[in-house]
Amino acid sequence: MTPATQPGQPEPANAGGDILRCEHIAKNYGAVTALTDVNLRLERGEVLGLIGDNGAGKSTLLKILCGFQPPSSGRIFLEGREVALKSVDHARSLGIDAVYQDLALVNQLTVFQNMFLNREKVRWPLVRNGAMRKEAREHLDEMGVQIPSVNSPVAMLSGGQRQAVAVARSVFSNPKILLLDEPLAAMGVKEGAIILDLITRLKHEGNVSIIIIAHNYAQVLEVCDRVNMIQGGKITLDKRADETSADELTEMVVAEYRRALEERQRSA
Amino acid sequence: MSDTAQQTAGKAGAPQPWQTGQGGVGGVLMRVLRVLGRQREATVFVIAVALFAYFWIDQGSSFFSKSNQVLLWSDFTTPIIIIALGEVFLLICGEIDLSVGFVVGFAPFFMHYLTDFYGVPGLLAIFCALLLGLAVGWVNGFFTVTIGVPSFITTLGTGFILMGLIDTTSHDQPAAVPEDVLGIGKWINNYAWAPIIWAVILTAIFHVVLTRTRWGLHTVSVGGNLLGAREAGIGVGRIKYGNFMVTGLLGAFVGLQQMYYTNNIAPTAGSYQYMFYAVTAAVIGGTAMLGGVGTIIGAFFGAVVLGILLDGFPLIGVSADPLYIIFGGAILVSMVANVQLARLRERGQR
């Protein structure tokens, strides 16, 4: 394995055009260690694929980066300045937004109500349904997202449409950094294409830097500029997407599994 | 869910097989069902109107007389409506308050102790009684949200504590309404129709809060997708605390209303009966016990249905003993009707 940069070593301060940098991030849940030592950087305008097997710590890292939970130790730099992300709202106010695996959509609410969830347009004390409906429709059209109506309850949309609405919602507030957790999970090829097109479109616009978490390597490589692999709570690979392949990434995960198996057999 | 959303969803799309006009009785029936199906609240509204019409036709003036109508609306229906408003919000965000009936009972006693034993001015004592409702709600929120005890258990506990407090401090004896607070009663309850007017105004306000404010949308979100609401940055705890406190406040308000209405402070006022009626009204009106779904208007008409049954059955000669059998049956029948219509409605929307 010949990583392009030395994984495990933090970059010098203010390296290149990094919009986000993590140094020595660790996270324990009681006795369970989810992340041991994560060093990661995200360049401005870049799409970074964060891959790894189930339980490697991908989602934990994402939840730290979006302010949902604090790290046990380590430092996060946003545009060169150290930040302590106190909450999802705080991270959002700094320009970091996330689309979670479970999408955080409320089935009982309509598309436009979900698009404006917790950032509703208000003419106190009432929410401005008309204005929100109009803006949601325009925004979805602009992004090329096809849904029956912004008045439909989200429960009536397909998986791809729901994901598209969730992504469109995150882009709504013009974030600097967008974190996508398994945006293609449980989705057919056609549905997945909707999302990949959406990400490609965002990449070309160039206003937002994106981290995509995924375990379908082929699809990730299609849209990513760079990939980081996370194994056992650490980044073990950092390469440009055109310098690696789905086979190499798969092989790394399988090798890790074999090593663990051998260790178990040896100790038994 | 917002009304407009349902309407639009109902109108949009190609006509469903059962929606296309077939002639004859079946066609008419389907059209009626379609109209009913469009609004979750419509079913229970029709049941309320039908029951009202039945008792009016059957009993004539003894049902429709002013004195009986006041009894029906201000005595039977109003407390159920007002408490149901709070319960709907709690049920939507996935909680329940079993203790609110005892807030109804304790709030007037608390006010009575403050004025008669501690010389607190009447208006201030009323204010404190309302604060007591908020405080009980806060305690319910604390144990449920902060400590993590399921609200069913929390409020079972606080309910018993309040029941014990009422019985212990009152020695099971009723008390007279303190003279100091009689004047304020004009604003709350002296006029015969005052309670139901309060109930209607509060219903309108709570309906708007549920469907047109951030608080209402966030309440639906918390019940519909708790984790999702948290991830969207919604203060889940704040919403639950708030809804418990509002329910407690409504309970205290109903307690004061009942005090003025009966001109008496009774240790038996409120209790579990009020709470169960209110939850029943909410559920009949289309509020799901699973969270995320509910309507204020539905709960209002659900309470009206219960009020009409409570008022009407004794008029047609059904004594208090078998009343509850019929009452329970009526609840089941209206629930089944509601569930079936909800299925039809869903089919029509897809």
Side-chain angles (χ1 to χ4, degrees), chain B residues 99-139:
Chain B
S99 69
V100 61
F102 296 103
V103 178
V104 173
F106 193 56
F109 274 110
F110 187 64
M111 183 223 58
H112 154 62
Y113 302 148
L114 287 179
T115 40
D116 290 342
F117 302 158
Y118 297 95
V120 175
L123 194 60
L124 186 62
I126 295 263
F127 185 69
C128 289
L130 294 172
L131 275 185
L132 172 86
L134 282 177
V136 172
W138 185 87
V139 170

Side-chain angles (χ1 to χ4, degrees), chain A residues 63 66-68 87-93 96-106 109 113-120 166 169-170 173, chain B residues 214 217-218 220-222 225-236 238-239:
Chain A
K63 284 189 170 158
C66 72
F68 190 70
S87 67
V88 172
D89 272 339
H90 179 227
R92 197 177 276 164
S93 71
I96 305 176
D97 213 322
V99 179
Y100 302 89
Q101 208 167 342
D102 51 48
L103 299 183
L105 296 178
V106 179
L109 298 179
Q113 285 169 332
N114 268 288
M115 300 248 338
F116 281 91
L117 190 60
N118 203 27
R119 49 191 131 182
E120 293 85 356
R169 172 170 76 177
S170 304
S173 51
Chain B
R214 299 186 79 202
L217 293 176
H218 290 184
V220 173
S221 308
V222 167
N225 184 350
L226 181 65
L227 183 63
R230 203 173 275 147
E231 285 169 345
I234 292 172
V236 170
R238 201 171 64 98
I239 296 283

Side-chain angles (χ1 to χ4, degrees), chain A residues 98-260:
Chain A
V99 179
Y100 302 89
Q101 208 167 342
D102 51 48
L103 299 183
L105 296 178
V106 179
N107 275 336
Q108 290 82 358
L109 298 179
T110 61
V111 170
F112 82 87
Q113 285 169 332
N114 268 288
M115 300 248 338
F116 281 91
L117 190 60
N118 203 27
R119 49 191 131 182
E120 293 85 356
K121 288 182 170 297
V122 174
R123 187 184 293 125
W124 203 90
L126 302 182
V127 290
R128 299 170 57 200
N129 281 337
M132 292 198 295
R133 215 175 270 139
K134 181 162 167 284
E135 223 170 280
R137 199 177 292 128
E138 285 170 1
H139 182 67
L140 289 169
D141 285 348
E142 214 171 90
M143 298 189 62
V145 176
Q146 303 283 327
I147 49 153
S149 157
V150 289
N151 294 316
S152 311
V154 165
M156 289 167 68
L157 302 186
S158 74
Q161 289 170 332
R162 289 163 59 85
Q163 186 77 52
V165 167
V167 174
R169 172 170 76 177
S170 304
V171 182
F172 219 174
S173 51
N174 286 321
K176 296 178 199 158
I177 298 170
L178 187 57
L179 311 168
L180 305 177
D181 191 2
E182 296 281 8
L184 303 166
M187 217 173 278
V189 177
K190 215 192 298 172
E191 298 251 276
I194 301 176
I195 306 304
L196 290 174
D197 284 352
L198 194 52
I199 294 167
T200 311
R201 192 188 281 247
L202 290 173
K203 188 166 135 183
H204 285 309
E205 284 170 10
N207 301 323
V208 58
S209 314
I210 303 174
I211 298 181
I212 302 176
I213 289 184
H215 60 248
N216 184 331
Y217 309 140
Q219 280 176 316
V220 172
L221 288 171
E222 214 174 289
V223 290
C224 288
D225 300 302
R226 202 155 54 87
V227 266
N228 279 9
M229 174 167 288
I230 186 163
Q231 284 179 308
K234 264 192 234 179
I235 306 281
T236 54
L237 172 135
D238 180 358
K239 275 192 178 181
R240 292 192 52 79
D242 49 20
E243 289 169 355
T244 184
S245 65
D247 290 343
E248 183 191 1
L249 300 174
T250 309
E251 184 50 42
M252 279 189 71
V253 176
V254 174
E256 185 200 18
Y257 166 74
R258 292 220 182 92
R259 257 199 315 278

